[in-house]
Amino acid sequence: MASDPGLIRMLSALSTVCAVLLTLGVVAALDAPVPILVTGALTAMVSTAAVTEPRPCDQALTLAMGVPVALAVMAAGSALAPYRVVADVVFVLLIFAAIYIRRLGARATTLGIFAFQLFFVTQFVGTRVEQLPQLSLAVLVAFTSSALVRFTVLRFPPERTLERLQRAFRLRLALVLDALIDVTEGGPQAPRAERAVDDLRRSTARLHTAAMMIQNRLGTSTPDARTATTIQRRVAEAETAAERLAVLVLRVLWPGADVDTLSPHLTQLRPAGSSIDTRDAATLPVLISELRSLRAAIGPDPLQPTGASPAAVRNRLLGYRSDEQLPGASPAMQDVFRSAGDVAHALSGLHLAADGEASPVHDTPGAPRSRAELTAKDSGVAKGATPKQQGTRVRPTTRTALQVATGSALAIVGGELLSPERWYWAVFTCWVVFISTASTGEILVRGYRRLLGTVAGVVAGLALASLIGNTSWLAFTLAVLSVFGMYYTIAVSYTLMSFFVTTMIGMLYALLHTLTPGVLVVRIEETALGIACGLIAALLVLPVHTRERTDQLLRDALERLRAVLSHSLAQLGGESGGDLLAPARALDSALDSLRLSVQPLITPISPLRSRRRTALSVLGMLETAAFHARSFAATAQLMPAALHIGADPRLMNEARRIDRNLATLISQVAVQGEGGDTTLVRGPGIPAQLAVSEGGARPEDVNATRRVLRHLQRVDESIQGLARTLHLPVHDDS
């Protein structure tokens, strides 16, 4: 459940396999020849995997509309098969149309995939007009099998998927705490300390992925906007609290290290001469025990000592938020215990969102106050903060359609010259390398991953074929398992997906007793040709270079960072900032897109080492700023309305300076460093003395104020560091 949140990949792969098997069973019972069996199986794969809309009613409508599209394309492909040149021209035009109509939404995208894939099937199988009755029957059986599996055998409504995603999020949160316990138990001197921290980083990144998956499902899986807002807030608070707890623990264990985030790009854990405080070392066993208590609040922990009731443990943890029974340790360690209380508070919120009621807590003033905060924050609806997008003269769908059509035309010509019987592999490769890519660099990375997976699949296919010999049932079983592997790995590894595709093809040829090393070598050659044609088209037809794409996404991320700070400061100033976590989630989404776009620069095979270092540094700075901005928003949301620290003139001046610096950064990225004001200003810093009076304020209010200021200070430092990385001057405010 934790490795496959919501079991989405598992159910997708199982649905495809079941639809293929059901189609093959029905068509084989009708004594259909092998070409009809292959057509039915491939159609079942496409009709099951291509429909990705979340609502069952939308899926049913798309499948119903796909039937006439599939039949028309199948008839056209079969009729044009004897006329090679005309069929090739129609294929290119169909490819252009299939990409062009993506601007109309998800259903149009799916129908375009149906059209391309089924025309491809006619060329792959070599169908003829006289076979149309049998082909039409196979298509109808395939779509019916897909619908039967989707809506009956493996029915998974969006509400249940969301419930499984929430459970997976809690399990991944438990894995974060497990990794944090390992880091704390081993300590900074452990031989595997660095590896334990890497495991913690990976667990936190996986937690973030689960949180974003929930975010993307809220609009279609909840009964109303209020419920969606509640779940969004609970998940975001838990993720932020867990990440902050991990950062604070690392800062205690490595007191001299620059640990401001769990980003792996910047953190150095072992500065010379750093050692843990003696008081903190004595408190570590207590901290480990409390971390285990948090872990037990999510699920059973066999190492958790028994004795205290769950309610008493939770009350004790919540008490740390009010400075109750804090250990006699350094301020940094006390912040760790306060953060543990925040995690306990967030866990109560997760129970409240999932079960409709909080876990029972009694005995301390902190418990009912925590529950009251959770209930009070459920009012209102999330409001997104979307920055203005840069306009372009050519729509992305138009550009991609022209590029894919051009690349496919080149692939058809080259593929025919290379192998008149297998030319379609080059066209298919050219099509798929453009899917989910937006720059030439992304196409290059996707292409080399596909080629790598194809070569590995050829080797595996030949090896398996030599082992199974003429055992047809074993070859069929391996082909089915390869289909499952294709769709189970497609979302996590494009190389593995390509490996399973080629292995499946090898097993199919083994079933037909036509598998030879030469056939699979041709597949490698056609794959390489398709990648090359795609790259040529991407470079010559309205090219989008990697730098242009990353600059656009960097502007987007900076604008969303600016929106998060603006909303949060408005909340601190007593204004109604709305839900602060919605713009923070928008920032996370923009940062995820930027991570994908810089893959061509940071991949190990990149020869541009200086650009790789710059890209990693920029990404690290942005991840640091995003973490503190998200924590800043989450903490500001908890601030009592009476504490208007945002109205303080000193803080307002610093906020305006930070906003101007961000505006300067955005403008410089937009013009690529040419012209305009290129100087950022370093001010006196967030005033440390700015805080509520400790005399009449609750301890948690004082701590929250300090935390807000600390996060804002870290955001300011990250922005200045990002400016230096981009070679922009930073001057002191005179």
Side-chain angles (χ1 to χ4, degrees):
M1 178 67 78
S3 63
D4 179 15
L7 301 181
I8 293 173
R9 292 188 291 121
M10 174 71 75
L11 290 171
S12 173
L14 281 178
S15 297
T16 305
V17 169
C18 290
V20 169
L21 292 177
L22 183 58
T23 301
L24 287 175
V26 174
V27 177
L30 301 175
D31 292 327
V34 171
I36 306 302
L37 286 171
V38 173
T39 299
L42 294 178
T43 303
M45 289 173 55
V46 174
S47 60
T48 304
V51 180
T52 58
E53 292 158 299
R55 297 184 185 277
C57 57
D58 294 332
Q59 298 171 7
L61 181 57
T62 301
L63 280 174
M65 295 177 65
V67 173
V69 171
L71 293 175
V73 169
M74 191 71 67
S78 301
L80 295 174
Y83 311 100
R84 184 73 272 143
V85 176
V86 178
D88 290 345
V89 172
V90 171
F91 199 10
V92 172
L93 294 176
L94 182 64
I95 289 171
F96 176 86
I99 297 294
Y100 187 81
I101 64 173
R102 291 187 171 199
R103 67 181 64 191
L104 302 179
R107 179 168 295 122
T109 299
T110 301
L111 295 178
I113 293 175
F114 286 163
F116 167 81
Q117 296 274 23
L118 293 180
F119 197 97
F120 172 83
V121 168
T122 64
Q123 309 306 300
F124 175 75
V125 178
T127 59
R128 296 293 182 266
V129 174
E130 56 269 20
Q131 296 176 310
L132 277 179
Q134 289 179 303
L135 291 171
S136 300
L137 180 61
V139 169
L140 291 173
V141 170
F143 272 85
T144 302
S145 300
S146 176
L148 184 63
V149 171
R150 181 184 297 270
F151 301 121
T152 304
V153 180
L154 292 175
R155 183 173 178 269
F156 40 100
E159 296 81 8
R160 289 183 57 191
T161 301
L162 181 60
E163 291 174 2
R164 287 195 294 264
L165 283 173
Q166 289 180 265
R167 183 184 172 200
F169 178 83
R170 291 194 293 271
L171 292 173
R172 285 192 168 184
L173 182 58
L175 293 176
V176 169
L177 291 174
D178 286 338
L180 187 57
I181 291 170
D182 289 341
V183 170
T184 310
E185 285 182 332
Q189 305 304 324
R192 296 165 57 89
E194 293 282 355
R195 184 169 180 178
V197 173
D198 288 340
D199 291 341
L200 176 61
R201 289 189 180 118
R202 281 191 293 271
S203 298
T204 308
R206 286 159 61 86
L207 181 70
H208 172 75
T209 301
M212 296 305 295
M213 292 177 70
I214 293 174
Q215 168 77 20
N216 294 334
R217 294 268 174 169
L218 289 177
T220 56
S221 304
T222 51
D224 51 54
R226 185 180 298 276
T227 303
T229 302
T230 299
I231 296 175
Q232 178 193 39
R233 184 179 294 115
R234 298 288 173 258
V235 170
E237 287 176 354
E239 179 196 357
T240 302
E243 187 174 4
R244 183 173 183 274
L245 175 62
V247 168
L248 291 177
V249 169
L250 293 183
R251 296 183 71 175
V252 166
L253 296 178
W254 285 270
D258 182 21
V259 183
D260 275 334
T261 178
L262 293 177
S263 168
H265 309 307
L266 302 176
T267 303
Q268 299 293 328
L269 288 181
R270 292 189 179 275
S274 63
S275 60
I276 188 171
D277 186 279
T278 54
R279 294 176 300 169
D280 294 346
T283 310
L284 280 180
V286 180
L287 175 60
I288 294 171
S289 176
E290 297 296 45
L291 291 176
R292 291 200 177 280
S293 298
L294 286 173
R295 173 65 177 81
I298 302 175
D301 183 358
L303 298 180
Q304 168 66 18
T306 58
S309 66
V313 171
R314 184 162 300 167
N315 289 336
R316 184 179 69 250
L317 291 169
L318 291 174
Y320 291 137
R321 303 179 71 221
S322 304
D323 288 359
E324 296 176 8
Q325 299 180 346
L326 286 176
S330 68
M333 178 62 88
Q334 290 182 341
D335 274 345
V336 170
F337 279 84
R338 294 187 186 102
S339 185
D342 290 337
V343 175
H345 172 77
L347 290 178
S348 297
L350 286 178
H351 286 299
L352 183 66
D355 307 327
E357 59 181 7
S359 299
V361 286
H362 307 287
D363 303 331
T364 68
R369 181 165 59 240
S370 174
R371 188 162 59 250
E373 291 174 359
L374 292 170
T375 306
K377 288 183 294 179
D378 282 343
S379 59
V381 177
K383 298 177 182 178
T386 304
K388 295 181 180 179
Q389 300 294 326
Q390 298 291 327
T392 57
R393 288 174 295 178
V394 180
R395 286 187 177 184
T397 49
T398 304
R399 175 189 290 111
T400 304
L402 290 171
Q403 290 176 336
V404 178
T406 303
S408 298
L410 295 174
I412 288 174
V413 175
E416 292 273 11
L417 294 175
L418 186 62
S419 174
E421 294 82 16
R422 315 292 180 194
W423 61 271
Y424 41 76
W425 278 336
V427 180
F428 190 80
T429 298
C430 182
W431 164 280
V432 297
V433 296
F434 277 94
I435 303 300
S436 301
T437 58
S439 69
T440 53
E442 292 178 47
I443 293 171
L444 177 62
V445 171
R446 192 179 184 90
Y448 100 80
R449 288 173 177 170
R450 183 171 184 84
L451 185 60
L452 183 63
T454 300
V455 172
V458 165
V459 174
L462 291 174
L464 290 172
S466 65
L467 289 175
I468 64 178
N470 294 324
T471 311
S472 297
W473 68 267
L474 189 53
F476 179 78
T477 301
L478 291 174
V480 171
L481 291 176
S482 296
V483 172
F484 179 87
M486 287 165 49
Y487 291 100
Y488 189 72
T489 60
I490 188 172
V492 294
S493 174
Y494 190 71
T495 302
L496 277 177
M497 189 275 291
S498 302
F499 166 81
F500 283 116
V501 169
T502 306
T503 303
M504 178 198 68
I505 291 174
M507 292 302 98
L508 289 178
Y509 280 118
L511 280 170
L512 299 173
H513 305 290
T514 58
L515 179 64
T516 63
V519 170
L520 294 183
V521 169
V522 169
R523 174 165 175 81
I524 295 176
E525 294 172 345
E526 294 280 0
T527 299
L529 176 65
I531 295 169
C533 292
L535 281 173
I536 292 172
L539 288 170
L540 297 181
V541 181
L542 301 173
V544 177
H545 300 294
T546 302
R547 176 168 181 174
E548 179 183 347
R549 172 67 174 168
T550 54
D551 283 351
Q552 174 188 349
L553 293 176
L554 178 57
R555 288 196 304 272
D556 189 14
L558 291 172
E559 287 172 348
R560 292 182 186 275
L561 175 62
R562 191 179 181 189
V564 173
L565 296 178
S566 175
H567 283 70
S568 301
L569 288 167
Q571 179 91 358
L572 293 178
E575 302 177 19
S576 178
D579 183 16
L580 303 183
L581 295 177
R585 275 294 178 233
L587 170 61
D588 288 336
S589 298
L591 193 54
D592 286 345
S593 299
L594 180 62
R595 288 191 192 97
L596 292 176
S597 73
V598 301
Q599 287 300 310
L601 301 178
I602 65 177
T603 182
I605 68 169
S606 173
L608 306 174
R609 312 311 292 179
S610 61
R611 291 189 67 185
R612 183 175 187 271
R613 287 191 296 270
T614 300
L616 287 173
S617 181
V618 168
L619 195 57
M621 291 290 182
L622 268 178
E623 288 174 344
T624 302
F627 163 67
H628 287 289
R630 185 168 61 246
S631 300
F632 177 53
T635 309
Q637 186 118 338
L638 297 176
M639 295 288 289
L643 298 179
H644 296 163
I645 64 170
D648 189 291
R650 296 166 296 177
L651 184 59
M652 292 177 63
N653 290 336
E654 288 298 288
R656 281 193 289 266
R657 178 183 59 80
I658 294 173
D659 187 75
R660 285 195 302 270
N661 285 346
L662 270 174
T664 301
L665 266 180
I666 293 169
S667 64
Q668 287 306 301
V669 173
V671 300
Q672 298 183 354
E674 299 177 2
D677 183 12
T678 63
T679 302
L680 276 72
V681 177
R682 183 193 303 110
I686 308 301
Q689 69 274 22
L690 179 64
V692 297
S693 171
E694 298 191 21
R698 298 181 304 176
E700 55 265 41
D701 296 339
V702 176
N703 295 327
T705 301
R706 292 172 177 168
R707 190 183 306 168
V708 162
L709 300 177
R710 188 185 305 120
H711 287 310
L712 189 57
Q713 181 72 35
R714 295 290 185 266
V715 171
D716 185 22
E717 294 170 356
S718 298
I719 293 170
Q720 295 176 29
L722 183 60
R724 287 188 289 269
T725 302
L726 298 176
H727 308 293
L728 297 178
V730 180
H731 294 162
D732 289 329
D733 190 7
S734 55

